[in-house]
Amino acid sequence: MNEPEILEAAPLAYENQEFLSSAEGRALRILAEYSEPLSRFRHERIQDTVVFFGSARFASRSDAESALELLERPGSAQPADFEHQLKRARAAVEMARYYEEARELANKLTKWSMELPYKRSRFVVTSGGGPGIMEAANRGAFEAGGKTIGLNIRLPYEQYPNRYISPELNFEFHYFFMRKYWFAYLAKALVVFPGGFGTLDELFELLTLAQTQKLAKKILVLIYGREYWNKILNLPALVEAGAVSEEDLELFTMVDSPQEGFEMLRDGLTKYHLQQQIPVRREKDDDPDIAATRSRHKGGSDGVPRPE
């Protein structure tokens, strides 16, 4: 009987890619999508965020106008569905205003937040990391010279991160629910620009958390663009049917311009998240203070007093 060959050392469990990618490794993958972002937010001294949602399909005004000009150019080849493409190109030019206004609002907010006398970055503009309104928000913050976060999601069709995200704050998630966790946990405000199914999903998820008091903080919800949203949503009908209370409609505010949106954010964030705090607090350097909503004496963002 031949002797068996000498075995090489087995891979360590946390280096075993086959195991980590298996069903049995799912718990570790989920935990990693909690712990790795937490580590980076602490390292980058991010305290809280303002999240921008909106359509990934809206282009900048210059890009939308260029696409329409190319389509309308005399002598250019016309595709079989020319009229359909022309209609969509004209709509894109019209909707490009929301890209530019998201960019302007994010810029104003970032310039204001950078002037706040805190050791950590406050109210950092955050998006889903992709194109459209997401890009516009990151772009406005980038142009203001501030940090800006992208929480991307891995999809069957690749959604690449836009180039305006701070490289050290560029995240990619596999699990939608972990991505949503980081949207909700860090956010002190939500700005919802015109969008589709994904935008509606995020809006109602955050409104539900606020309605059911699952957030140990006051979160401002701004719905941007009355003309668009009044065609899409008929929320008073929910009150008439008794599905929600009239007070639930006070969970959000509608705004129509970057200046109006900025003033609502500035005043609300100051009232609910700055007035009770002492600027330039003397915490230890290793105290992350992630998403803090109360003073150290009253407890952390989850309402549990922190150990001294």
Side-chain angles (χ1 to χ4, degrees), residues 11 40 99 110 203 219 229 240 290:
R40 270 203 271 168
Y99 179 105
T110 301
L203 168 61
I219 186 166
W229 288 113
E240 293 175 8
I290 294 289

Side-chain angles (χ1 to χ4, degrees), residues 122-123 188 218 269-275 277:
R122 303 301 309 271
F123 314 129
K188 293 301 193 327
K218 170 67 176 179
L269 293 170
T270 299
K271 176 180 179 180
Y272 294 109
H273 301 296
L274 294 180
Q275 286 183 346
Q277 299 182 17

